[in-house]
Amino acid sequence: MQAKLLGAVGALLATAFLAGPAAAADKTKIDFWFGNSGDIAKRVQEQCDRFNQSQADYEVVCTSQGSYDASLQNTIAAFRAGKQPTIAQVSDAGTLDIMLSGAYYPANKLMSDMGYTVDWKDYFSGISVYYATSKGEMYSFPFNSSTALLYWNKDAFAKIGKDHAPATWKEAGEDLKALKDAGYACPLGFDISNNEVWQYIEQFEAVNGEAIATKKNGFEGLDAELVFNKNPLLVSYIKDLKSWYDNKLVVIKNKAVGQTFVEAFAAGDCQVILTSVGDHGNVGRTAKQGMNWDVAMLPTYGDASRHSSYVGGEYLKKQGFYDKAPYAGRELAIQSLTASPADDAAPHGIRLGGLLQVRTEIANGLQAIFVNNADVQASLDSAAERGNTLLRRFQQTYKNVQLP
């Protein structure tokens, strides 16, 4: 009989406690697979080392899988082979896949069975909603989380007479043109691969209070359907991006062209990017000497009021944690996640089965638009149709299953 994933989840990354600790010498071995890479992976390893050095009964073996997607897929494959880790980190995008799998030990049940009383309301609500049931039962432990922010080069903006980042996409378009006219070859750097579309589709819908799918983005049923392609604001926004791309105000930056958009921003080659607050530390450490930069919340579109962004510390703020480098600016992630009240009618998060595959179809749609000059509306419609096919397949897999 296969051991279950001992189950936890962690914001923008979910930690699924998967299973079976094996004895190693005098210590109980606990395998922990996680999706972080780069500098954040080093911080995770430091946590593991501190725990191992703090006692002699357990040894946590922490292994990066390279990415959140890989962590989920490798965990599923390992479980099927009966070789799963004790704990696995799974991103928010994989929550429903794990939640309905029956392959893990729910966090709230684990704590209760072990005799621990946890006040789950202590978790930040803007994060916990991604890993809880409709009744607020925590099926996993939020481990780390992030949301998207706009990074801007203050020196470049000063040259066009600006001392603040754009608050709307109309203002952003004007700023990008001014930067181009001022001689900057890459006013905004971006990527439209399946790992990055969440910033340009999901986060756009979030901050503008629009749904990406029916049934409150899937939280109310497996029969949810993608509707992002029917949002006039999003369609207009993608048309704007394409127009800016054609006029070289927006430039694709990824490994295929030799430089990612984060690397391009840190080098001063691109003056604006949209990326996770998780890249804040990376930019801080790699930014070219003397470069002045900052972060801002994502712009809204048209007359739309600002709503909370999605997950990719007020106590920390009171303690002055965000007052100086390297943490100054990261408080904007908290402000972005709490931009609208918890009872706001707009969806709070996304709970769709096979979301990683859905993102791939959306990325394919954007590739058709930007690389192949395909019609914007037709490409978004086609992407939504392909995504809905995936959702129906997931629904059929869990036929007659009610969302917890």
Side-chain angles (χ1 to χ4, degrees), residues 128-167:
S128 63
V129 66
Y130 283 81
Y131 311 107
T133 69
S134 59
K135 299 177 181 178
E137 300 166 330
M138 292 296 289
Y139 269 29
S140 62
F141 301 101
F143 180 65
N144 67 297
S145 69
S146 60
T147 193
L149 294 174
L150 181 146
Y151 291 61
W152 59 293
N153 187 318
K154 297 175 72 174
D155 296 327
F157 272 69
K159 290 186 178 180
I160 63 171
K162 297 291 291 289
D163 63 359
H164 63 276

Side-chain angles (χ1 to χ4, degrees), residues 190-223:
F190 81 136
D191 187 7
I192 47 177
S193 68
N194 60 319
N195 290 325
E196 305 299 341
V197 295
W198 66 279
Q199 300 160 15
Y200 291 90
I201 301 294
E202 296 168 28
Q203 293 291 335
F204 178 90
E205 296 286 70
V207 300
N208 289 288
E210 300 288 342
I212 189 173
T214 60
K215 299 284 183 174
K216 286 197 173 180
N217 283 349
F219 275 84
E220 294 183 345
L222 292 175
D223 55 340

Side-chain angles (χ1 to χ4, degrees), residues 5-6 28 32 40 45 52 63 67 70-71 102 116 121-122 186 198 202 208 275 280 297 309 319 343 356 379 383:
L5 321 176
L6 218 154
T28 297
F32 172 36
I40 296 181
Q45 188 59 55
N52 289 336
T63 307
S67 70
S71 181
Y116 291 94
K121 293 181 181 179
D122 284 346
C186 177
W198 66 279
E202 296 168 28
N208 289 288
T275 191
H280 193 278
M297 286 190 282
S309 59
Q319 297 300 309
D343 60 356
L356 296 179
S379 294

Side-chain angles (χ1 to χ4, degrees), residues 319-349:
Q319 297 300 309
F321 181 80
Y322 300 112
D323 289 349
K324 57 184 179 180
Y327 308 109
R330 299 187 193 184
E331 74 280 5
L332 286 176
I334 301 297
Q335 293 178 27
S336 183
L337 286 168
T338 58
S340 54
D343 60 356
D344 181 16
H348 289 262

Side-chain angles (χ1 to χ4, degrees), residues 353-398:
L355 181 54
L356 296 179
Q357 290 75 28
V358 170
R359 283 177 175 170
T360 297
E361 295 304 337
I362 294 175
N364 291 339
L366 293 181
Q367 292 280 349
I369 293 168
F370 287 91
V371 178
N372 300 326
N373 290 314
D375 179 76
V376 171
Q377 185 66 68
S379 294
L380 294 178
D381 289 345
S382 180
E385 182 179 356
R386 294 192 302 272
N388 281 327
T389 297
L390 293 171
L391 294 183
R392 298 291 71 78
R393 188 180 304 160
F394 187 90
Q395 181 184 12
Q396 184 63 30
T397 300
Y398 294 98

Side-chain angles (χ1 to χ4, degrees), residues 51-355:
F51 175 80
N52 289 336
Q53 293 165 10
S54 71
Q55 44 70 53
D57 296 326
Y58 303 93
E59 178 186 8
V60 178
V61 178
C62 300
T63 307
S64 172
Q65 302 300 304
S67 70
Y68 304 144
D69 292 4
S71 181
L72 174 62
Q73 299 303 330
N74 292 348
T75 294
I76 291 174
F79 180 80
R80 288 172 176 169
K83 298 180 180 180
Q84 69 274 15
T86 314
I87 306 172
Q89 181 193 55
V90 179
S91 74
D92 61 307
T95 293
L96 189 55
D97 301 68
I98 294 295
M99 183 175 281
L100 298 184
S101 70
Y104 70 103
Y105 201 151
N108 61 323
K109 188 176 187 303
L110 171 65
M111 293 293 96
S112 177
D113 290 350
M114 296 298 107
Y116 291 94
T117 299
V118 179
D119 186 351
W120 300 103
K121 293 181 181 179
D122 284 346
Y123 279 107
F124 180 46
S125 62
I127 292 173
S128 63
V129 66
Y130 283 81
Y131 311 107
T133 69
S134 59
K135 299 177 181 178
E137 300 166 330
M138 292 296 289
Y139 269 29
S140 62
F141 301 101
F143 180 65
N144 67 297
S145 69
S146 60
T147 193
L149 294 174
L150 181 146
Y151 291 61
W152 59 293
N153 187 318
K154 297 175 72 174
D155 296 327
F157 272 69
K159 290 186 178 180
I160 63 171
K162 297 291 291 289
D163 63 359
H164 63 276
T168 67
W169 278 107
K170 180 177 183 298
E171 183 181 7
E174 296 168 351
D175 291 345
L176 297 179
K177 184 178 186 307
L179 288 167
K180 183 67 176 179
D181 292 343
Y184 291 101
C186 177
L188 185 150
F190 81 136
D191 187 7
I192 47 177
S193 68
N194 60 319
N195 290 325
E196 305 299 341
V197 295
W198 66 279
Q199 300 160 15
Y200 291 90
I201 301 294
E202 296 168 28
Q203 293 291 335
F204 178 90
E205 296 286 70
V207 300
N208 289 288
E210 300 288 342
I212 189 173
T214 60
K215 299 284 183 174
K216 286 197 173 180
N217 283 349
F219 275 84
E220 294 183 345
L222 292 175
D223 55 340
E225 294 187 351
L226 297 170
V227 292
F228 64 87
N229 56 309
K230 299 177 181 179
N231 175 12
L233 290 184
L234 177 66
V235 175
S236 294
Y237 164 64
I238 297 300
K239 288 180 178 179
D240 287 345
L241 280 178
K242 180 57 166 63
S243 174
W244 298 337
Y245 175 77
D246 291 341
N247 288 287
K248 296 181 170 51
L249 308 184
V250 175
V251 179
I252 291 178
K253 290 286 185 178
N254 53 38
K255 290 182 179 180
V257 299
Q259 187 184 45
T260 68
F261 61 96
V262 175
E263 292 170 341
F265 179 79
D269 297 332
C270 291
Q271 313 314 314
V272 178
I273 60 171
L274 274 60
T275 191
S276 165
V277 66
D279 282 319
H280 193 278
N282 183 32
V283 171
R285 282 180 293 276
T286 61
K288 73 175 183 178
Q289 188 74 24
M291 175 176 155
N292 295 307
W293 61 280
D294 206 344
V295 292
M297 286 190 282
L298 298 182
T300 55
Y301 195 90
D303 297 326
S305 58
R306 181 174 296 281
H307 294 260
S308 299
S309 59
Y310 294 156
V311 161
E314 293 310 305
Y315 173 79
L316 293 176
K317 187 172 183 179
K318 291 178 182 177
Q319 297 300 309
F321 181 80
Y322 300 112
D323 289 349
K324 57 184 179 180
Y327 308 109
R330 299 187 193 184
E331 74 280 5
L332 286 176
I334 301 297
Q335 293 178 27
S336 183
L337 286 168
T338 58
S340 54
D343 60 356
D344 181 16
H348 289 262
I350 300 174
R351 182 153 293 171
L352 299 174
L355 181 54

